[in-house]
């Protein structure tokens, strides 16, 4: 298999760091998904060290395989301009450069929810959707991606909107909050109901997609929501970030050109084809 047909995706989150080798034609993992805990505090050097160990385990990858890394932050010109559930030292950091120097390899570096949304538009629930799609990832926080006709609006941080008395709504309704407070599915769904109703009023989307690890339990909470907009679980479940990062890396290396990828990679990486 050539480098054009495969790429590596690394998905960094506030709780875990995942990676795998991806078949870019099918959107399937060619390797086991490797997952390691995010180091306590989420310090830059510590996170980079974990990524290096994951890459070392992907020994079947072609040496020339593009590498994509997605991260829970606003990404502009290769810099992390925010820090959600990781160290504040990431804010303003030249993160793409940091990873490239440590790994000795060019990478494509994007927001984690953008990567997941792009994967769903290429391989999953948003594929061939002509309208406006909003993907949310429910995990340590709430990530979001806005997709319109296969194009993404980069760095949409809809998990941080204020709703009523709740500032930064992810601190009230993320899956981590559900677990910490031991909320029932019904109680948590009530919080999600307010969240998705608000997004409906603001954006009038044609489809909601719900990703993150809790999407495997979608039947426990999605049927409890009463919305005008269809809402479905992510087809790619919690692998979406890996698949999206890998697919976008293939564009970033110039191997596979698509309009959707070009739009996103150019918006977030300082040098792209």
């Amino acid at each position: 298999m050539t480098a054009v047909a495969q790429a590596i995706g690394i998905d960094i989150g506030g709780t875990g760091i995942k990676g795998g080798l991806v078949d870019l034609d099918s959107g399937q993992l060619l390797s086991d998904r490797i997952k390691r805990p995010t180091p306590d505090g989420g310090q830059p050097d510590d996170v980079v060290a974990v990524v290096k160990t994951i890459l070392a385990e992907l020994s079947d990858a072609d040496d020339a395989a593009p590498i994509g890394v997605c991260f829970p932050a606003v990404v502009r010109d290769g810099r992390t301009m925010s820090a959600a559930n990781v160290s504040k030292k990431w804010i303003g950091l030249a993160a793409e450069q940091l990873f490239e120097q440590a790994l000795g390899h060019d990478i494509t570096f994007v927001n984690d929810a953008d990567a997941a949304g792009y994967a769903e538009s290429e391989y999953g629930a948003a594929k061939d959707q002509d309208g406006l799609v909003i993907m949310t990832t429910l995990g340590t926080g709430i990530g979001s991606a806005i997709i319109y006709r296969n194009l993404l609006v980069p760095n949409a941080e809809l998990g941080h909107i204020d709703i009523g008395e709740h500032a930064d709504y992810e601190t009230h309704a993320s899956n981590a909050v559900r677990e910490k407070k031991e909320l029932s599915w019904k109680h948590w769904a009530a919080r999600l109901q307010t969240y998705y109703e608000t997004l409906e009023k603001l954006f009038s989307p044609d489809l909601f997609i719900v990703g993150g690890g809790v999407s495997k339990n979608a039947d426990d909470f999605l049927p409890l929501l009463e919305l005008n907009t269809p809402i479905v679980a992510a087809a790619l479940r919690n692998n979406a970030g890996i698949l999206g990062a890998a697919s976008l890396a293939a564009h970033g290396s110039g191997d596979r050109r698509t309009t959707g990828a070009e739009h996103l990679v150019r918006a977030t990486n300082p040098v792209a084809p």
Side-chain angles (χ1 to χ4, degrees):
M1 185 170 289
T2 66
V4 176
Q6 66 173 230
I8 294 170
I10 302 291
D11 180 3
I12 299 169
T15 304
I17 302 175
K18 305 180 290 290
L21 181 62
V22 176
D23 182 322
L24 296 169
D25 293 318
S26 66
Q28 300 291 319
L29 287 179
L30 294 170
S31 68
D32 291 336
R33 185 180 73 169
I34 300 170
K35 183 175 181 179
R36 298 288 179 268
T38 302
D40 289 343
Q43 300 289 335
D45 288 343
D46 295 338
V47 170
V48 171
V50 173
V51 171
K52 289 179 71 173
T53 66
I54 291 175
L55 289 175
E57 293 189 49
L58 295 171
S59 56
D60 291 337
D62 189 298
D63 290 340
I67 299 174
V69 178
C70 62
F71 189 85
V74 170
V75 179
R76 299 186 65 182
D77 295 327
R79 291 181 175 272
T80 41
M81 305 308 294
S82 63
N85 305 301
V86 290
S87 168
K88 299 305 180 185
K89 290 182 179 179
W90 288 96
I91 299 175
L93 185 68
E96 181 183 7
Q97 183 181 41
L98 174 68
F99 278 101
E100 289 183 338
Q101 290 176 346
L103 303 178
H105 198 295
D106 289 342
I107 68 165
T108 295
F109 189 74
V110 296
N111 171 270
D112 58 346
D114 283 345
Y118 184 73
E120 288 291 331
S121 71
E122 285 288 288
Y123 308 115
K127 187 175 181 179
D128 300 324
Q129 285 283 338
D130 288 333
L132 177 64
V133 178
I134 295 179
M135 180 171 180
T136 57
T137 56
L138 304 177
T140 309
I142 298 178
S144 62
I146 300 174
I147 310 160
Y148 182 65
R149 295 186 175 180
N150 205 42
L151 294 177
L152 276 87
V153 178
N155 298 311
E157 293 287 333
L158 302 182
H160 298 296
I161 61 175
D162 299 343
I163 302 177
E165 64 183 12
H166 300 290
D168 195 359
Y169 202 74
E170 73 170 20
T171 63
H172 181 65
S174 72
N175 188 49
V177 170
R178 178 189 69 84
E179 293 177 334
K180 181 178 180 180
K181 294 184 176 293
E182 298 183 345
L183 300 178
S184 67
W185 293 114
K186 183 177 181 180
H187 191 168
W188 188 46
R191 299 186 180 200
L192 295 178
Q193 177 72 30
T194 300
Y195 178 65
Y196 288 112
E197 279 184 352
T198 302
L199 296 188
E200 276 189 320
K201 292 176 183 178
L202 294 174
F203 295 98
S204 300
D206 296 290
L207 177 68
F208 284 122
I209 299 174
V210 178
V214 76
S215 61
K216 65 180 180 290
N217 302 110
D219 290 343
D220 292 318
F221 64 94
L222 289 189
L224 302 176
L225 302 178
E226 297 181 2
L227 302 166
N228 295 318
T229 305
I231 185 165
V232 300
L236 307 174
R237 295 296 194 264
N238 209 24
N239 286 337
I242 294 173
L243 302 178
S247 184
L248 289 164
H251 169 79
S253 68
D255 284 340
R256 298 167 73 93
R257 303 189 69 84
T258 68
T259 302
E262 182 174 353
H263 170 74
L264 183 58
V265 172
R266 286 188 174 180
T268 56
N269 288 255
V271 179

